[in-house]
Amino acid sequence: MNSYRPFDPDRPLFSSRCSCGRHASDAEHGLDLSAKIDEEQMSADFVEASLVKALFPQESRRRAFLKAVGAGGAMSALSGFLPVGALQAMAQDKAPLEKPDLKIGFIAITCATPLIMADPLGFYKKQGLNVTLNKTAGWALIRDKMLNKEHDASHFLSPMPISMSMGLGSDPSQMRVATIQNVNGQAITLANKHKDNRDPSKWKGMKFAVPFEYSMHNFLLRYYVAQAGLDPDKDIQIRVTPPPEMVANLRAGNIDGFLGPDPFNQRAVYDEVGFIHILTKEIWDGHPCCAFGTSEDFIKKNPNTFAALYRAVLNASTMARNPENRPLIAKVISPANYLNQPETVVMQVLTGKFADGLGNIQNVPDRIDFNPIPWYSMATWMLTQMQRWGYVKGDVNYKDISEKVFLLTDAKKYMGETGIAVPPLAKAGYKKDKIMGKEFDPSQPAAYLKSFPTTKA
């Protein structure tokens, strides 16, 4: 019997529970060494179930059809015009890998959840890859190790591949963004002494940390205070600080706050040295943060390996998007070799049920999400902010840079292969967004840039 049971009208297709019924999910089933899995059979089952899902995207229609014709009749009818066997064979037919042993860099933050969890949960091994995850101290080191080819692929801050490709802060080297690792998932955290200082227009003279100049953290902090009437280059101080050092600097009084990645916002609350002033989803809901990518050179030399790596990370992203899987994910990424954080801190971030340090328990399920689509419009917005604050001088070919660095075409291809739905807008690659109520139209980036009263452009 197909473990997904696509022809069972009484069981949801792609149920959150595993096929044997003893585990909360297929991922937890996979962690149980006593549960034997035939990977080829699971692959065939998934293809068949995906076809049924494509034909009946609405669960109610699938069930009605099955109840009307019965499981046997449905299987017979579908096999008459769907080449199920051929598709299953294609799913199992993987091209030989040019380089199965890979080194991948990462920073120990929850933004890298898909990339990290793919190791303990076996997503890399399932693609025939032997991956070594190298925990790295800071973003400059991440950049340098990619430029020096010490890492084959890497966790990036999403503006980094753009800056590296343009030669900003380093020699130019063409990088590619395969997937967005996470959306939302950051916050502005302030020291406890500022609990009565919540108005950003009154933050003159305060010191803030961000993880890197070419980061969404830097750009979102600048955007936020500029909207409050401050000049981020004159009225506040912004210091580049590695994420693991942010809480210690807050405790020591070296900074007044930080716009940083989790779990360090939540860790500041856990350690009782700070409070969460605002989640970045309240600044821009759905904003990109971190990315997963590699160099153009690596892709050219290792196309099959790159495809396998892409599939592994996309499948991990799909699992991470399901809230029911978050407790298990928190458990497997919290240990010392990954995040090295208390599981309760990571759990609060991933589930969105958290203490804010102000005496409240918040429930924000989409505090962090793992939508992998590398929209061209995301890259375009980053370029406008690089111009706005003087990191880029002169004219910028937004379209050319965005579409060369962000691999949306590849993302759509591999998402389709792995059964992940691609939204209609992604065909064009550009979408409008609202950031603190102000619309960003990616078709008019120059006009958008000129609309800001505070700018260095």
Side-chain angles (χ1 to χ4, degrees):
M1 177 183 288
N2 185 309
S3 57
Y4 293 97
R5 301 179 192 171
F7 301 107
D8 183 350
D10 298 318
R11 184 178 189 268
L13 187 54
F14 296 116
S15 167
S16 60
R17 295 199 64 80
C18 74
S19 55
C20 76
R22 293 189 290 110
H23 307 89
S25 67
D26 281 319
E28 189 171 334
H29 176 101
L31 288 178
D32 185 351
L33 298 180
S34 67
K36 304 299 183 183
I37 297 178
D38 183 330
E39 291 193 0
E40 288 192 2
Q41 184 59 50
M42 286 292 289
S43 176
D45 290 352
F46 183 79
V47 169
E48 187 176 61
S50 296
L51 289 171
V52 173
K53 178 68 173 176
L55 287 169
F56 300 101
Q58 294 183 355
E59 186 69 10
S60 59
R61 292 188 178 181
R62 179 184 71 91
R63 292 183 175 186
F65 174 74
L66 292 173
K67 287 180 178 178
V69 303
M75 293 174 71
S76 176
L78 295 180
S79 64
F81 61 90
L82 287 175
V84 176
L87 288 170
Q88 290 172 344
M90 287 172 62
Q92 295 173 22
D93 183 20
K94 297 174 183 175
L97 304 179
E98 303 87 358
K99 188 177 183 181
D101 298 329
L102 301 176
K103 293 181 180 178
I104 297 177
F106 78 101
I107 300 287
I109 54 179
T110 51
C111 303
T113 291
L115 170 65
I116 296 171
M117 63 181 271
D119 184 28
L121 293 179
F123 287 96
Y124 296 125
K125 290 188 183 302
K126 189 170 184 180
Q127 297 296 329
L129 298 168
N130 178 31
V131 167
T132 299
L133 291 181
N134 290 339
K135 189 187 294 189
T136 310
W139 292 107
L141 197 55
I142 283 279
R143 176 197 62 201
D144 294 345
K145 285 183 178 292
M146 280 299 296
L147 292 176
N148 297 333
K149 301 187 186 303
E150 294 178 54
H151 290 162
D152 297 295
S154 190
H155 172 202
F156 286 119
L157 295 161
S158 52
M160 283 178 63
I162 299 174
S163 66
M164 293 168 70
S165 298
M166 296 175 71
L168 304 176
S170 65
D171 291 335
S173 180
Q174 189 63 57
M175 296 289 152
R176 298 283 191 259
V177 170
T179 71
I180 295 298
Q181 281 285 281
N182 71 300
V183 297
N184 300 333
Q186 329 300 309
I188 296 178
T189 295
L190 299 178
N192 285 331
K193 65 181 179 181
H194 292 296
K195 285 185 177 178
D196 295 325
N197 186 19
R198 304 290 303 281
D199 182 351
S201 67
K202 298 178 181 178
W203 287 358
K204 282 190 177 183
M206 289 174 60
K207 302 180 183 72
F208 290 88
V210 297
F212 200 59
E213 285 188 310
Y214 299 103
S215 69
M216 287 297 294
H217 311 83
N218 184 26
F219 299 148
L220 289 174
L221 177 62
R222 288 171 172 273
Y223 192 103
Y224 183 73
V225 298
Q227 288 294 100
L230 301 186
D231 184 328
D233 289 310
K234 297 177 180 178
D235 297 326
I236 64 172
Q237 292 183 39
I238 300 178
R239 301 176 177 180
V240 171
T241 305
E245 298 176 15
M246 288 180 171
V247 175
N249 275 275
L250 195 69
R251 181 186 292 108
N254 298 329
I255 55 175
D256 295 285
F258 58 84
L259 198 160
D262 274 310
F264 297 105
N265 302 289
Q266 202 59 50
R267 185 61 190 262
V269 174
Y270 181 83
D271 289 352
E272 299 182 346
V273 298
F275 66 94
I276 295 173
H277 166 69
I278 188 173
L279 298 176
T280 51
K281 77 175 292 290
E282 297 177 51
I283 299 174
W284 175 2
D285 193 5
H287 72 80
C289 181
C290 287
F292 176 64
T294 186
S295 65
E296 180 180 50
D297 184 59
F298 178 87
I299 297 172
K300 286 181 177 178
K301 291 179 178 177
N302 307 283
N304 298 334
T305 299
F306 175 67
L309 193 55
Y310 216 138
R311 287 192 295 266
V313 176
L314 277 176
N315 285 328
S317 296
T318 301
M319 178 181 171
R321 296 207 74 190
N322 187 339
E324 294 183 9
N325 295 327
R326 302 283 177 88
L328 170 64
I329 294 169
K331 182 181 291 294
V332 301
I333 70 174
S334 295
N337 55 326
Y338 299 124
L339 296 187
N340 193 27
Q341 293 291 331
E343 187 181 323
T344 184
V345 171
V346 180
M347 182 81 78
Q348 288 183 71
V349 174
L350 294 185
T351 63
K353 189 172 184 179
F354 62 95
D356 61 9
L358 294 167
N360 308 306
I361 300 297
Q362 303 276 1
N363 189 11
V364 186
D366 56 350
R367 172 177 176 169
I368 188 170
D369 200 2
F370 302 99
N371 191 327
I373 300 175
W375 295 89
Y376 298 139
S377 49
M378 292 175 171
T380 302
W381 186 86
M382 295 171 205
L383 286 166
T384 67
Q385 300 310 293
M386 289 181 189
Q387 282 186 291
R388 181 182 181 186
W389 303 116
Y391 294 101
V392 178
K393 304 292 185 182
D395 294 334
V396 171
N397 189 327
Y398 301 100
K399 187 175 188 297
D400 181 65
I401 296 172
S402 298
E403 295 183 12
K404 194 169 186 180
V405 176
F406 277 39
L407 296 177
L408 180 60
T409 299
D410 293 74
K412 290 187 290 185
K413 171 187 173 183
Y414 292 116
M415 287 174 71
E417 286 182 4
T418 52
I420 303 171
V422 180
L425 272 177
K427 292 180 180 179
Y430 293 89
K431 63 185 178 73
K432 294 180 180 179
D433 281 293
K434 281 201 172 179
I435 302 146
M436 293 185 71
K438 182 181 178 69
E439 184 177 82
F440 167 58
D441 182 349
S443 69
Q444 302 291 330
Y448 177 75
L449 180 61
K450 291 178 182 177
S451 70
F452 294 106
T454 307
T455 177
K456 287 186 174 181

